[in-house]
Amino acid sequence: MSDIYNDIEPNVIDDEMVQKAIEEQFPEDIGKIAKREGINFKDVTELQLSFRNILQIDNLWQFENLTKLQLDNNIIEKIEALESLVHLVWLDLSFNNIEVIEGLDTLVKLQDLSLSNNRISKIEHMDALQELQIFSIGKNNLTTLEDVIYLRRFKKLRTLNLTGNPLCNDEHYTLFVVAYLPDLVYLDFRLVSDTTVSVSAFPACEIGQQHLTEHLGDILQLSDALMALEMLIADQLEVRVHRVLRSAFSLTIFSTMTQCRDLENRHHEELLEISITALEKSLKNELDEDLPADVQMLLVDRTTIVNAVNTSHGIHLLKIDKRESDILSNINHWQTSVTEKAVQNEIDRNRERIREIVQYIDNLQEELDNLEIMEPIV
């Protein structure tokens, strides 16, 4: 184990860790119910395990329906044990100690992958990720522009972050990337302009000047920071929507209907006991009061009365099941409607904010370019 862990207690993902993480994702009242009733890992679609000093990925095979997994800000050295997460769409492994891209072969639905702030020196072993749309691998150890060529196989890739790698220091970096990946919309959190795409067809063209490098770097850092904050806000809003709507009602209904079934079972037991006692008294002519004719018809023998009571019990349970099904169906329709509206509102807000950020950064870039043009020739 590396010396960097001397002051850190490494962790491995276990049932206790994931149970606690899931409970923390719920509001406090729902979390208490979840803790008491238990959680079926197969029902969990999002899992956040950030900042937990995780050294090794393990014990995630139970989360077979997981679509979003956050493992950022840990001390993970190897991508492994993700084979069963075939429905994963979003994976964050940023801020770890990963050196090699591997272990992703079964994640064929993955659309968003973050490997930024690791120790990766080569882009490889990602052929199965044909649905990939967003790829962040900034601040690693990528040194050659040829690594970009590997990304040509991802036809749906629209957003790429490479900032902070040594290869970004090449004076033709932007033009090279855009030339090989002409369908990119965002590169290093900046909108790829038509001008850049056009100029990228001429690799011999020079862009920028050496004395502007520092200012360009400042603009890129500002863009990076603004985009990171916007992504954080969007993620937090998305988590709130899904956290409240997905779990609150279903857990409450489950608890309520469980109580209804318990009450019906107790009622059934007491009714059966009363009926058998009435039968015995009837046979001995010891009943204190006259019973209705339809009740007297049941007081023939033990089998008849037991069958009648059991039939009534079965009918009541079916009514409870039907009521639960109707309530859950109505809630699901309502949840779907509210979620779709909330998600669309957030998408619209996020797109507008990204446009504002991109426009602001473009304005700064334009001002810097104008300064370059106005600069006297020596």
Side-chain angles (χ1 to χ4, degrees):
M1 186 179 297
S2 172
D3 292 338
I4 65 174
Y5 306 141
N6 287 343
D7 298 327
I8 298 176
E9 183 65 30
N11 290 323
V12 176
I13 300 173
D14 56 21
D15 287 350
E16 181 180 355
M17 179 187 292
V18 297
Q19 182 81 19
K20 182 178 179 181
I22 295 171
E23 291 170 4
E24 290 174 351
Q25 292 177 190
F26 295 134
E28 183 177 354
D29 54 341
I30 302 303
K32 291 180 180 179
I33 297 176
K35 187 173 183 179
R36 184 174 65 249
E37 302 292 342
I39 300 172
N40 188 344
F41 291 164
K42 292 182 179 180
D43 295 333
V44 178
T45 59
E46 298 180 8
L47 183 61
Q48 181 176 354
L49 296 172
S50 310
F51 296 98
R52 297 177 189 268
N53 295 332
I54 297 170
L55 175 62
Q56 181 180 350
I57 305 172
D58 201 0
N59 292 314
L60 293 177
W61 58 270
Q62 303 172 82
F63 296 88
E64 58 187 52
N65 292 312
L66 207 63
T67 60
K68 182 176 182 178
L69 175 61
Q70 291 180 248
L71 290 168
D72 57 286
N73 289 280
N74 286 291
I75 52 176
I76 297 169
E77 295 182 336
K78 184 177 182 180
I79 305 174
E80 59 185 338
L82 300 177
E83 295 83 3
S84 62
L85 308 184
V86 296
H87 297 293
L88 212 59
V89 174
W90 194 96
L91 175 61
D92 188 352
L93 285 164
S94 58
F95 293 91
N96 280 287
N97 298 315
I98 298 167
E99 296 184 357
V100 178
I101 301 176
E102 59 187 336
L104 303 173
D105 293 344
T106 63
L107 309 186
V108 296
K109 295 184 179 180
L110 200 64
Q111 298 178 10
D112 190 326
L113 173 62
S114 180
L115 295 171
S116 60
N117 292 83
N118 278 282
R119 303 177 179 181
I120 299 167
S121 58
K122 184 178 179 59
I123 301 178
E124 58 185 346
H125 304 148
M126 294 172 52
D127 293 28
L129 310 185
Q130 291 303 309
E131 297 298 317
L132 193 64
Q133 300 176 20
I134 302 173
F135 183 39
S136 181
I137 193 169
K139 296 185 180 179
N140 276 273
N141 298 326
L142 302 176
T143 58
T144 62
L145 288 175
E146 283 67 26
D147 268 316
V148 174
I149 300 176
Y150 178 86
L151 299 176
R152 286 175 61 84
R153 68 198 65 206
F154 304 117
K155 306 304 182 183
K156 297 183 179 181
L157 186 64
R158 296 295 180 268
T159 301
L160 174 64
N161 173 32
L162 292 166
T163 187
N165 283 286
L167 61 81
C168 297
N169 296 327
D170 190 292
E171 60 180 337
H172 298 305
Y173 159 70
T174 301
L175 295 181
F176 186 92
V177 174
V178 176
Y180 277 96
L181 304 174
D183 293 326
L184 275 185
V185 178
Y186 294 99
L187 173 61
D188 298 340
F189 306 110
R190 298 181 60 201
L191 186 67
V192 178
S193 67
D194 293 338
T195 302
T196 304
V197 174
S198 177
V199 174
S200 68
F202 304 96
C205 293
E206 296 292 336
I207 57 171
Q209 296 181 15
Q210 189 64 35
H211 65 281
L212 296 176
T213 300
E214 181 178 350
H215 302 294
L216 288 172
D218 291 340
I219 292 176
L220 288 176
Q221 288 181 7
L222 176 61
S223 174
D224 195 345
L226 291 174
M227 284 296 185
L229 287 172
E230 173 55 28
M231 291 172 65
L232 178 62
I233 292 173
D235 285 344
Q236 289 176 342
L237 288 174
E238 180 183 353
V239 168
R240 289 196 201 102
V241 171
H242 288 284
R243 178 189 297 168
V244 174
L245 293 181
R246 180 172 297 172
S247 302
F249 290 105
S250 58
L251 285 174
T252 302
I253 294 303
F254 175 78
S255 177
T256 301
M257 288 305 173
T258 298
Q259 294 178 20
C260 289
R261 292 186 179 91
D262 290 342
L263 289 172
E264 169 57 27
N265 288 333
R266 279 159 43 190
H267 169 73
H268 168 66
E269 293 172 0
E270 293 175 2
L271 178 61
L272 186 59
E273 182 179 350
I274 293 171
S275 299
I276 292 175
T277 300
L279 172 64
E280 292 173 349
K281 289 184 177 182
S282 174
L283 294 176
K284 296 177 182 179
N285 294 319
E286 296 178 355
L287 285 176
D288 296 333
E289 56 182 337
D290 293 333
L291 297 176
D294 53 349
V295 175
Q296 293 181 8
M297 291 177 60
L298 298 175
L299 300 178
V300 178
D301 53 40
R302 187 185 182 89
T303 300
T304 300
I305 196 69
V306 169
N307 287 340
V309 173
N310 286 341
T311 299
S312 174
H313 178 53
I315 292 173
H316 290 164
L317 289 178
L318 287 175
K319 288 183 177 180
I320 293 174
D321 291 343
K322 178 64 166 58
R323 182 59 176 164
E324 180 181 30
S325 177
D326 290 342
I327 293 174
L328 289 176
S329 178
N330 291 335
I331 288 176
N332 286 336
H333 287 310
W334 176 79
Q335 284 181 333
T336 299
S337 175
V338 173
T339 301
E340 288 177 351
K341 183 177 181 180
V343 169
Q344 186 58 53
N345 288 341
E346 172 54 20
I347 290 174
D348 294 340
R349 186 207 64 79
N350 178 249
R351 287 176 176 172
E352 181 61 28
R353 186 54 51 85
I354 288 177
R355 279 196 293 267
E356 291 176 358
I357 293 173
V358 170
Q359 183 62 50
Y360 176 61
I361 296 301
D362 283 348
N363 289 341
L364 291 179
Q365 180 67 56
E366 184 178 355
E367 290 180 8
L368 190 61
D369 292 342
N370 289 337
L371 286 176
E372 179 183 5
I373 293 172
M374 295 171 61
E375 193 170 281
I377 300 175
V378 179

